[in-house]
Amino acid sequence: MKFFYVLICYCLLHSFSYLESATIKTKTINKKNIMNSKTLLDDDCKKDWQENWFLDSVDSSVKNTAKGMILTAGPDPDDNAQSMVLWTKQEFEGDIKIEYEFTRLDNLDRNVNILYFHARGIGIGPYKEDISKWNHLRTKPRMPLYFLNMKLYHISYAVNRYDLEGEYLRARRYPSISDEKFNKSTEIPGSYWNTGLFKPGVKYKLIFEKTGKNLSMKVRGPEINKEFSWKLNNFAELKQGRIGLRLMSGRSALISNFKVSKKI
């Protein structure tokens, strides 16, 4: 009996020691990851949005609240000119990590949300590389203004389609060869269909990361932990530019705790 008592105590002591060691190791790894990254932008989205952002649109609105900023595109879901893009004032270089909390506020049966990053103009005519210089040309932010005249990465999410195509996640790289060839000339291989994500009123944590020729998107939510990835091998690499949040007309979302970082 005494032997079994000693054996049980030994096993418990060994288990506690293992757990303590694992906890210390995890904390060390997390601390190392934090020390190896540099925060480039950290916005809780509760203060004046114009400190860090500027807007393409005369039909849309941005409102700061205690929960974050509410983005509301123009009301007509069939008028692409009533879309909106909210841009960071800051440009970012190299491999970056973008993370924020996203809550869909609309129940629309169509249109999409898009993340743009490393966005710059094509540098021809009025479309200067610094896109803030021709913001006045985008007060009605129709899609062709962007996919014909900007160089950037694009990820569509929270997509609602009432046609047969259905719901999807998709990545693109601008510019397009032409208006007619937008779908084929910009698509990065690897669309994800019927993900079941982005239910109205549900908060999701989105994490986007570009590392060399690899692009990833992680989605965290209630009982949800999904990851998606794309290879950028078919396109020339983009290394610098702004980040933009696009809501197509009729869409609305709450954005909070927006952060950009990079490894050092």
Side-chain angles (χ1 to χ4, degrees):
M1 186 67 179
K2 185 177 180 181
F3 170 77
F4 287 113
Y5 175 77
V6 172
L7 181 62
I8 290 171
C9 289
Y10 173 80
C11 291
L12 287 172
L13 182 62
H14 181 74
S15 298
F16 289 142
S17 298
Y18 175 80
L19 288 172
E20 184 178 11
S21 175
T23 301
I24 292 172
K25 185 176 180 181
T26 300
K27 287 182 178 179
T28 302
I29 291 172
N30 290 338
K31 186 176 181 181
K32 185 177 180 181
N33 287 339
I34 293 171
M35 291 176 64
N36 288 341
S37 67
K38 179 181 180 180
T39 299
L40 306 174
L41 175 63
D42 193 352
D43 185 358
D44 64 10
C45 304
K46 298 175 184 179
K47 306 176 188 69
D48 183 5
W49 64 271
Q50 294 181 83
E51 290 183 11
N52 293 315
W53 307 82
F54 66 91
L55 178 64
D56 290 359
S57 180
V58 293
D59 301 301
S60 308
S61 67
V62 182
K63 180 182 179 182
N64 291 107
T65 73
K67 293 183 178 180
M69 58 185 178
I70 296 176
L71 280 56
T72 305
D76 185 350
D78 297 316
D79 183 0
N80 185 249
Q82 291 190 22
S83 300
M84 67 180 292
V85 184
L86 190 66
W87 292 107
T88 59
K89 289 184 176 180
Q90 187 176 345
E91 284 199 344
F92 304 92
E93 294 184 21
D95 291 344
I96 58 172
K97 181 179 181 180
I98 304 164
E99 48 192 313
Y100 55 95
E101 293 167 348
F102 169 87
T103 305
R104 183 179 160 197
L105 301 180
D106 64 83
N107 289 286
L108 196 64
D109 65 351
R110 69 199 78 174
N111 296 341
V112 308
N113 289 273
I114 299 172
L115 173 74
Y116 292 146
F117 72 97
H118 280 354
R120 306 198 91 196
I122 57 175
I124 299 174
Y127 309 116
K128 302 181 184 302
E129 288 195 325
D130 182 349
I131 61 174
S132 70
K133 302 299 184 184
W134 48 287
N135 167 252
H136 62 285
L137 300 180
R138 304 190 303 272
T139 57
K140 294 286 187 178
R142 296 176 178 85
M143 280 290 288
L145 271 171
Y146 299 79
F147 66 69
L148 293 176
N149 303 307
M150 289 187 184
K151 300 173 288 185
L152 58 78
Y153 294 113
H154 151 149
I155 298 179
S156 303
Y157 65 97
V159 176
N160 261 30
R161 295 298 295 266
Y162 54 88
D163 58 19
L164 295 178
E165 194 171 38
E167 177 264 329
Y168 61 85
L169 290 173
R170 182 175 292 149
R172 297 185 182 276
R173 199 281 203 186
Y174 298 1
S176 173
I177 296 171
S178 68
D179 195 343
E180 295 76 17
K181 295 184 178 180
F182 165 70
N183 284 326
K184 288 189 176 181
S185 69
T186 64
E187 185 173 350
I188 297 170
S191 294
Y192 295 90
W193 300 91
N194 301 314
T195 65
L197 298 171
F198 308 113
K199 305 296 185 185
V202 179
K203 182 190 289 187
Y204 297 88
K205 174 72 175 286
L206 308 185
I207 304 169
F208 304 87
E209 192 163 7
K210 178 193 171 295
T211 307
K213 290 286 188 175
N214 298 303
L215 177 60
S216 68
M217 175 183 182
K218 298 175 184 176
V219 182
R220 307 284 185 260
E223 301 181 3
I224 288 174
N225 187 343
K226 293 189 176 184
E227 184 169 355
F228 310 90
S229 62
W230 297 268
K231 295 289 186 181
L232 306 175
N233 300 327
N234 295 340
F235 298 88
E237 186 177 6
L238 300 176
K239 297 183 177 181
Q240 180 180 355
R242 287 184 167 85
I243 297 169
L245 301 172
R246 183 182 187 98
L247 274 67
M248 293 297 201
S249 54
R251 302 302 297 266
S252 181
L254 173 67
I255 305 293
S256 57
N257 296 316
F258 192 96
K259 184 178 178 180
V260 184
S261 61
K262 68 183 301 181
K263 292 180 180 178
I264 55 174

